[in-house]
């Protein structure tokens, strides 16, 4: 996933859109695990809070479930 720092779209929205795109393309399917917030933040060079906000947005829309790590 690539975040465009020059875009007017906030980082969390860019990330949310890219995750939705991956779901729509079938690259992420029902039951697949998303990377942890820490892992995705490291891969995208984003702040943990930015990734968390994106995941919360997807959860609010009913697209993903967030479960505590075991």
């Amino acid at each position: 996933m690539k975040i465009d720092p020059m875009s007017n779209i906030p980082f969390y929205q860019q990330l949310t859109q890219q995750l939705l795109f991956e779901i729509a393309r079938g690259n992420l399917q029902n039951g697949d695990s998303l990377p942890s917030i820490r892992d995705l933040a490291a891969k995208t060079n984003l702040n943990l809070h930015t990734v968390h906000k994106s995941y919360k947005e997807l959860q609010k829309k009913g697209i993903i479930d967030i479960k505590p790590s075991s």
Side-chain angles (χ1 to χ4, degrees):
M1 290 185 210
K2 191 134 172 101
I3 301 300
D4 180 3
M6 302 306 284
S7 174
N8 291 331
I9 300 170
F11 293 159
Y12 85 93
Q13 286 181 340
Q14 290 184 52
L15 183 58
T16 301
Q17 289 173 354
Q18 289 184 33
L19 288 167
L20 287 170
F21 183 69
E22 292 300 315
I23 292 167
R25 287 182 57 194
N27 293 336
L28 292 172
Q29 298 183 1
N30 192 16
D32 286 350
S33 293
L34 294 175
S36 72
I37 291 171
R38 283 188 192 282
D39 287 346
L40 192 53
K43 285 180 186 173
T44 56
N45 292 319
L46 292 174
N47 184 289
L48 294 171
H49 299 289
T50 302
V51 176
H52 184 257
K53 187 171 183 177
S54 176
Y55 278 15
K56 283 302 225 182
E57 189 76 18
L58 291 169
Q59 182 186 37
K60 229 181 356 183
K61 292 179 180 189
I63 295 169
I64 66 170
D65 289 326
I66 297 176
K67 299 175 184 172
S69 58
S70 38

